[in-house]
Amino acid sequence: MIVQLPPSRSLPTNRRYAARRQLEETVGTKKASPRRRRLILLVAIALIVASAVAGIALLRTAPVTDKRTARCYTLAKLGSDKTFSGTTIGVAGPPGSVAQVDDAISSCSDLWRQGFLVPGASGIQRPKPDTSNPVPPLIACTLVDGRAGIFPGDSNTCATLGLPLAGQ
Amino acid sequence: MVAGHNEIVKGYETLPDEELWARARSHDGDAFGELFERHADAVYNHCFRRTGSWSVAEDLTSVVFLETWRQRQQVAFHGESFLPWLLAVANNAIRNTNRSIRRYGRLLAKLPNPVAIPDQSEEAIGRIDDERAMRGVLDAFNQLSVLDQEVLSLCDWAGLSYEEAAAALDVPPGTVRSRLFRARARLREVLTAGAQDESEAPETPKGRES
């Protein structure tokens, strides 16, 4: 018994034309491969995250505008305008000049190392002879009046105190 | 510009499938359009013979070419023609017709409705007759194993050689040959049994339509 199949037919003209056009457009459009799309997506996400982190860091950073004096704190605590745990430092310059505290962290470190600063104490202390004086980790924040405030602490300390990190 | 464009497209008609495919891979839409023009009817008729529906075959024809493009990294040529590969894709699409059509539903929806011709035209009536006749064949055909169905439809219905069918099915040519003889015999057997049942069955007013 021979199987009788219906005769072959052509794809209807309107459908043929539209399907061909659609295929030509699909093929003619360059799309990134799935692997490449994934890579682009990952890079985009990384850029967004990096921008967000940089933006937040930028927002949390403020320049030191007043370098005539700086404050070396002995506690990660602000205190009041006049009473605080620590001391104010300045740099001596030629007579008549206004010297600047360019590296407040370094200056405060020296005071800690020499024993002039003691944790929690206000003002300058008398150093004990023949004792080693540890320097705690210090971080520079910008105080509300534009001066640098050097606190014992880490990169989160400024934010905890409601202050921006000291920028350039 | 138009003349130049036509000249290029006209030139594509003389290019072998492999060259057209290479150009299509480089995002040359016209080259893929020419491949479609060459093989769309063969794919269309293959899909009709396997599904018994011209409208489903229209959708599947687009699906086959879209799916071929989606899986372009895997395309391999066996011989000069692109058709064996297309029919292999068609067989996969036919096995999961609904899922295949659903996957490309958004694109298919943009195409004209299948078989948009006047209901009473000779063409429309002919297509309805085709579907009825094909369903009768498929009743028997679907009793064969999947591999036998595919071998028989590729070799006897779509006209592929043993080697082309073997490439499309990813089996040795010897398997195609032996399967084909067995599938033909089995189909003949089923059809004969069906014909005998019909002749022996008592006539009823609501008997099966011929």
Side-chain angles (χ1 to χ4, degrees):
Chain A
M1 176 181 273
I2 299 167
V3 178
Q4 283 291 330
L5 294 177
S8 294
R9 291 184 186 272
S10 290
L11 201 58
T13 313
N14 61 339
R15 179 79 178 200
R16 182 188 207 91
Y17 177 76
R20 179 176 174 161
R21 282 285 305 274
Q22 188 176 69
L23 287 167
E24 286 175 349
E25 279 174 20
T26 303
V27 171
T29 308
K30 268 194 180 178
K31 272 187 185 169
S33 66
R35 187 185 296 176
R36 195 172 164 77
R37 276 204 296 273
R38 265 197 304 276
L39 186 67
I40 290 170
L41 186 69
L42 285 176
V43 169
I45 289 170
L47 282 175
I48 289 167
V49 169
S51 304
V53 169
I56 290 166
L58 208 65
L59 282 174
R60 292 172 56 190
T61 304
V64 175
T65 53
D66 183 355
K67 293 186 174 180
R68 288 172 299 179
T69 59
R71 279 185 170 184
C72 299
Y73 286 82
T74 57
L75 272 184
K77 195 174 172 187
L78 272 174
S80 67
D81 191 33
K82 289 184 179 168
T83 312
F84 65 97
S85 303
T87 188
T88 302
I89 58 168
V91 174
S97 70
V98 179
Q100 300 209 324
V101 183
D102 285 325
D103 191 350
I105 287 188
S106 174
S107 303
C108 294
S109 294
D110 287 344
L111 294 181
W112 279 99
R113 195 173 298 110
Q114 292 164 34
F116 291 116
L117 295 179
V118 174
S122 294
I124 292 291
Q125 307 300 307
R126 183 186 296 272
K128 291 175 186 166
D130 304 326
T131 53
S132 63
N133 303 294
V135 180
L138 299 174
I139 186 78
C141 311
T142 301
L143 303 174
V144 286
D145 58 10
R147 287 184 295 170
I150 310 303
F151 294 88
D154 55 25
S155 56
N156 295 319
T157 304
C158 297
T160 307
L161 295 170
L163 296 172
L165 283 163
Q168 292 300 311
Chain B
M1 286 298 280
V2 173
H5 177 74
N6 285 343
E7 204 172 281
I8 291 167
V9 174
K10 191 179 172 187
Y12 279 5
E13 291 165 7
T14 61
L15 293 178
D17 284 4
E18 207 162 353
E19 173 67 23
L20 287 172
W21 176 242
R23 292 185 185 215
R25 285 288 307 270
S26 304
H27 294 275
D28 182 339
D30 289 339
F32 201 65
E34 177 58 29
L35 282 170
F36 175 79
E37 203 62 47
R38 263 179 213 183
H39 301 298
D41 284 343
V43 172
Y44 178 50
N45 283 287
H46 180 73
C47 291
F48 167 70
R49 288 168 190 148
R50 293 296 309 277
T51 62
S53 163
W54 287 115
S55 61
V56 170
E58 283 187 25
D59 279 349
L60 283 174
T61 302
S62 280
V63 165
V64 167
F65 283 88
L66 288 166
E67 187 66 10
T68 298
W69 178 246
R70 191 178 74 84
Q71 296 180 2
R72 56 190 175 278
Q73 309 287 352
Q74 280 100 54
V75 171
F77 266 81
H78 297 280
E80 292 177 355
S81 176
F82 198 33
L83 187 59
W85 184 270
L86 291 171
L87 295 185
V89 176
N91 281 343
N92 288 335
I94 289 162
R95 259 182 248 131
N96 301 294
T97 300
N98 291 336
R99 199 174 63 189
S100 304
I101 290 176
R102 220 172 24 244
R103 166 176 257 169
Y104 294 101
R106 192 176 54 79
L107 287 171
L108 294 174
K110 292 179 182 171
L111 297 174
N113 286 332
V115 200
I117 47 178
D119 285 348
Q120 294 306 313
S121 72
E122 205 175 304
E123 173 80 7
I125 293 166
R127 283 174 183 270
I128 291 167
D129 287 344
D130 291 348
E131 291 183 345
R132 189 178 298 130
M134 200 64 226
R135 278 199 297 273
V137 175
L138 287 175
D139 282 346
F141 179 82
N142 288 337
Q143 293 182 42
L144 307 183
S145 72
V146 172
L147 183 58
D148 285 359
Q149 288 178 22
E150 293 185 345
V151 166
L152 196 122
S153 64
L154 290 175
C155 292
D156 282 1
W157 297 358
L160 296 192
S161 67
Y162 294 145
E163 287 72 25
E164 287 175 327
L169 296 169
D170 199 20
V171 296
T175 304
V176 171
R177 199 174 287 117
S178 60
R179 282 280 182 165
L180 182 59
F181 287 121
R182 191 163 48 181
R184 282 174 182 161
R186 175 79 183 123
L187 183 62
R188 207 176 298 125
E189 201 179 287
V190 175
L191 286 168
T192 306
Q196 276 174 357
D197 286 349
E198 272 186 25
S199 64
E200 284 168 11
E203 272 191 39
T204 58
K206 288 185 180 176
R208 189 180 163 193
E209 285 181 31
S210 59

